[in-house]
Amino acid sequence: MVLGSYHRFYPAAGTPAAGAGETVLLRDGCNRPVSYLRVSVTDRCNLRCRYCVAGELFDFIPCAGILRYEEIVRVVRALAPVGIDKVRLTGGEPLVRRGLPRLVAMLRQIDGIRDVGLTTNGVLFAECGRELRDAGLTRVNISLDTLRRDRFAELTRRDFFSRAMAGIDAAVELGFDPVKINVVAMRGVNDDELVDFVRFGRDRGVEVRFIEYMPVGQGTGWQEASFISAAEIRDRLAAACGPLEPAPPEFSGGPARIWRVTDGGVRIGFISALSDHFCDRCNRVRITADGRLRPCLLEDTEYDLRGLLRAPGVTDAAIRELFFQGLASKPAGHGMSCNAPRKCQRPMSSIGG
Ligand code: SAM
């Protein structure tokens, strides 16, 4: 088996593969293996989180511009032979798109796809979690930035706190393990709840992950003053809960660095996208809601996958080649920091986070 980047090994479309019986696996231009595809299935959402979308009015992508489920399945089927084995469905809010269990089931039927996960705000999960699990969903991450109903309504511009909590309960009851709770930590917004979240994780048996607030999208009001680094969160938790120690990394090789409260063993994840990049172990590639291949979350370089998919007579080899070419341009690191200029204008809701 040959492991190679596009430059070194991947032949142009229509030419024979690396050699008879050999498989070329997807790698980026820095030779990092790419095995994880994140797909934004819609840019619509039933919340309007202030840090994610600029306001109430929002120019949604027209329906015809959103990838059809069959198109998503086609891409995954083309990529599974070159090493994509894990897919995550995100959005917008993926559960507002009709028929998601059908997509999950189709993806799970693809040879080589061992893991289909979902990132959701949980608001609709109590209603459709069982159907999703039965369709083959393997993992659920639920985003929740506050444990207070009034604050939830203020932050998300919607009064759906009880529904989001019911979604978390449903995920636990349905046996997803671990259920991960994503909390974007923001100074002056929810940083008085850091310890409450650790307790919540312990009491509900879910894994809380604190995500650094990123300057993404236009008009979402990110300010350096709202940013809290993972190190500061750890210091504040240690002061309140006792010492923290690094725990073994996630089996799935995810971006979170896991720490454990020494007294009691609660595991807490930290996604330090700004203060301590994990780009060197990035194994992912994204498809936006409008069908653009996006090699790096925080860089606006994209490739027109939808146009290719809708061109007459397109082959699986051509789809693969677009990924090899796009990934060849993936930067070694996103270079974003608190002080660096914003390189990501597209809203998180159409990239998928
Ligand atoms: N609607 C789903 C959800 O709420 O999980 C999926 C899409 S949402 C865009 C994916 C993740 O991105 C959420 O955990 C959200 O909190 C996170 N997110 C959005 N904007 C962010 C920002 N500026 N910085 C850090 N995380 C952000």
Side-chain angles (χ1 to χ4, degrees):
M1 182 175 287
V2 176
L3 302 182
S5 71
Y6 177 80
H7 293 309
R8 290 183 55 204
F9 297 115
Y10 201 69
T15 61
E22 290 177 328
T23 306
V24 181
L25 295 183
L26 203 51
R27 286 187 171 247
D28 66 23
C30 301
N31 215 25
R32 292 167 293 204
V34 178
S35 55
Y36 180 15
L37 178 69
R38 294 178 66 100
V39 184
S40 174
V41 297
T42 178
D43 62 338
R44 273 94 171 147
C45 189
N46 43 8
L47 301 181
R48 295 285 185 278
C49 299
R50 290 179 190 277
Y51 59 87
C52 185
V53 292
E56 204 46 68
L57 292 172
F58 198 68
D59 285 337
F60 293 113
I61 300 164
C63 287
I66 303 269
L67 284 193
R68 295 188 289 272
Y69 286 161
E70 286 68 22
E71 290 172 324
I72 295 170
V73 169
R74 167 122 205 241
V75 173
V76 175
R77 196 171 280 133
L79 295 179
V82 290
I84 292 291
D85 59 8
K86 182 173 169 184
V87 178
R88 176 164 293 272
L89 305 176
T90 174
E93 171 49 40
L95 299 185
V96 302
R97 182 154 174 193
R98 258 194 299 249
L100 201 70
R102 185 168 71 86
L103 175 62
V104 171
M106 287 192 285
L107 292 172
R108 284 306 305 273
Q109 277 164 18
I110 298 172
D111 266 355
I113 299 302
R114 59 177 177 87
D115 197 342
V116 176
L118 174 74
T119 298
T120 171
N121 58 36
V123 169
L124 294 171
F125 197 77
E127 288 157 40
C128 55
R130 181 174 300 278
E131 201 186 340
L132 285 161
R133 187 201 59 186
D134 294 350
L137 188 73
T138 41
R139 291 168 197 271
V140 183
N141 293 359
I142 299 183
S143 308
L144 181 76
D145 303 311
T146 176
L147 296 167
R148 302 181 191 174
R149 181 180 168 179
D150 54 341
R151 186 173 281 176
F152 183 97
E154 161 63 20
L155 198 55
T156 67
R157 303 183 176 104
R158 296 290 185 274
D159 190 11
F160 288 159
F161 178 70
S162 310
R163 297 177 69 169
M165 296 299 276
I168 293 172
D169 289 343
V172 172
E173 277 160 25
L174 287 166
F176 290 100
D177 186 24
V179 174
K180 294 181 184 171
I181 305 298
N182 289 340
V183 185
V184 179
M186 292 166 279
R187 194 184 308 283
V189 175
N190 62 356
D191 63 326
D192 53 346
E193 295 186 64
L194 301 175
V195 175
D196 295 347
F197 267 110
V198 172
R199 290 199 193 104
F200 176 79
R202 183 196 58 203
D203 296 347
R204 302 275 177 132
V206 295
E207 189 172 305
V208 169
R209 310 187 319 161
F210 292 107
I211 301 177
E212 286 181 351
Y213 183 19
M214 292 177 260
V216 173
Q218 283 178 311
T220 49
W222 186 93
Q223 297 171 1
E224 189 175 344
S226 321
F227 174 80
I228 315 180
S229 70
E232 181 181 334
I233 300 171
R234 279 198 296 274
D235 286 348
R236 289 171 61 173
L237 292 180
C241 311
L244 266 63
E245 60 186 11
E250 288 183 294
F251 176 68
S252 60
R257 297 182 207 277
I258 309 295
W259 288 62
R260 191 164 46 201
V261 180
T262 316
D263 180 13
V266 183
R267 284 164 62 86
I268 309 161
F270 296 89
I271 302 188
S272 48
L274 254 57
S275 69
D276 187 9
H277 298 182
F278 36 86
C279 301
D280 56 331
R281 53 199 172 91
C282 184
N283 64 347
R284 50 193 66 193
V285 59
R286 293 176 163 79
I287 301 176
T288 63
D290 52 350
R292 299 184 71 84
L293 157 60
R294 187 171 171 108
C296 171
L297 169 66
L298 295 175
E299 297 262 347
D300 278 334
T301 308
E302 295 178 350
Y303 299 84
D304 184 11
L305 174 63
R306 186 186 70 200
L308 178 71
L309 284 170
R310 294 183 183 177
V314 67
T315 61
D316 285 0
I319 296 170
R320 284 193 280 274
E321 189 175 345
L322 184 73
F323 276 80
F324 277 98
Q325 281 177 350
L327 283 164
S329 74
K330 181 166 173 158
H334 59 67
M336 191 180 273
S337 68
C338 285
N339 313 315
R342 214 179 267 218
K343 289 189 198 162
C344 179
Q345 300 298 326
R346 193 192 258 276
M348 199 68 122
S349 55
S350 68
I351 309 171

